Amino acid sequence: MRYREIRFPCRIQTRFVVNGVSHPGVVLNVSRGGILAELGTRVRVGNPVYVSIAGKDREATVARLDGSRTGILFDRPLTPGELRSLRTHSQTAPRGSRFLSEM
C-alpha cells in the first residue's frame, strides 16, 4: 500500500508557470508532497510546472488529471512550517486521522 500525505482543504489563489507562461489558478488542497489545483490552462501528466506557494516559487510536476482538477507533485516537499503557514488560509479540518500538530 502506498503512503498518502494528509491533505488539507483550502482555496488559495495563486500563479502557475507552464512552458514559460504564467497562468492563474486555485489550490483546492495541499499536503507536504503536493497540491490539487484548478489551473487556467491545459497541461499533460509529466509537464513540469512552477507554483507560487508558501511565499516561494516551487518546481513541481503534473502527476494526474481529473476533469478540471490537476494533481501536482512538488519536486521537494513542503517543510512543516510552510504547510502550517498555508493552513492559515483555510479554516477547514484536514482529511485524515492526524492533525499537523501531531506530526
Side-chain angles (χ1 to χ4, degrees):
M1 185 160 114
R2 222 173 116 194
Y3 174 75
R4 247 170 87 161
E5 297 274 353
I6 296 171
R7 299 176 187 173
F8 296 91
C10 61
R11 190 155 188 84
I12 303 169
Q13 301 286 329
T14 192
R15 306 288 305 169
F16 298 87
V17 176
V18 181
N19 297 323
V21 179
S22 180
H23 302 276
V26 178
V27 177
L28 303 173
N29 74 40
V30 62
S31 72
R32 287 196 61 215
I35 58 175
L36 181 66
E38 291 181 340
L39 307 182
T41 188
R42 289 182 170 218
V43 293
R44 292 184 179 177
V45 171
N47 279 149
V49 296
Y50 290 91
V51 182
S52 293
I53 194 163
K56 297 179 182 175
D57 290 338
R58 295 202 158 268
E59 293 181 28
T61 304
V62 175
R64 69 180 180 91
L65 301 172
D66 183 13
S68 65
R69 296 176 173 194
T70 303
I72 297 173
L73 183 65
F74 298 133
D75 290 355
R76 261 190 18 247
L78 296 173
T79 66
E82 289 169 330
L83 183 57
R84 204 173 357 267
S85 171
L86 286 170
R87 287 189 56 212
T88 63
H89 288 87
S90 175
Q91 299 301 316
T92 311
R95 291 172 69 188
S97 59
R98 298 183 332 185
F99 287 86
L100 186 62
S101 60
E102 297 174 26
M103 298 175 143

